[in-house]
Amino acid sequence: MLGCCASPRWARRVAAHRPYPDLDALLAAADEASYDLSHDEIADALSGESSAGLGAGAPAVAHTALRAAHAAYESGFGHAFVICLDGFRPEEHRDQVLAGIRSRLGNEPDEERAVAADELRGLARGRLARLVSGPGKADACPTNTDIAGHTGCGERPDSPSVPV
């Protein structure tokens, strides 16, 4: 569970109510548990994430720009930039990461904390869905891959979290 969201309280709450009758019930419980997290618990969960990256195929200038944006973001908000890319095609991920960090750099700290918590919730949902669906059923649920195409709950590269 901690591989899906690094909040111990979230993991305990979701695990405490098992078994779940189906994936929808599990995801509903995960959402409920995440909405109940305190500011400090969200900060702990965010500390378990790494900033979204672009992958090896991106131009050097894009990597440089993103490194600078990450530095500004982490300096301003005190945690890694996270974004859930579920619902976006892999070829859209690069643009989504760059646009997301640019737009969110202008947020007030309280506003960004809420946005980051929502993104974290989306990441946890995708990780749980993949964890439950297993290797042969990956097409049955939306994937949450990083720019380099990594997936999976255990290593959490789906944050997307490829360091740049």
Side-chain angles (χ1 to χ4, degrees):
M1 295 304 293
L2 289 172
C4 295
C5 178
S7 165
R9 181 169 175 246
W10 177 89
R12 281 192 307 273
R13 286 198 57 204
V14 174
H17 297 289
R18 66 180 187 249
Y20 292 96
D22 55 31
L23 179 60
D24 289 337
L26 171 61
L27 296 179
D31 284 347
E32 183 179 330
S34 65
Y35 284 119
D36 290 342
L37 295 178
S38 70
H39 169 67
D40 289 341
E41 291 165 331
I42 291 170
D44 286 344
L46 286 168
S47 72
E49 300 289 336
S50 58
S51 291
L54 294 178
V61 68
H63 285 285
T64 301
L66 188 59
R67 273 194 298 274
H70 279 306
Y73 182 93
E74 292 173 13
S75 173
F77 298 115
H79 59 81
F81 170 76
V82 292
I83 187 169
C84 179
L85 297 174
D86 287 349
F88 294 100
R89 295 185 320 259
E91 62 270 15
E92 297 174 359
H93 290 183
R94 180 179 304 152
D95 291 339
Q96 291 299 318
V97 170
L98 291 170
I101 198 166
R102 282 185 197 127
S103 69
R104 289 168 52 190
L105 276 169
N107 288 348
E108 293 296 321
D110 287 340
E111 178 184 14
E112 182 54 26
R113 189 175 309 113
V115 172
D118 194 45
E119 295 292 334
L120 190 62
R121 189 171 14 270
L123 292 171
R125 287 177 61 88
R127 292 168 180 161
L128 280 170
R130 280 186 306 287
L131 184 66
V132 169
S133 69
K137 303 177 189 172
D139 294 335
C141 65
T143 60
N144 186 16
T145 58
D146 68 14
I147 303 306
H150 298 106
T151 61
C153 294
E155 301 163 295
R156 296 172 37 158
D158 57 335
S159 297
S161 57
V162 177
V164 291

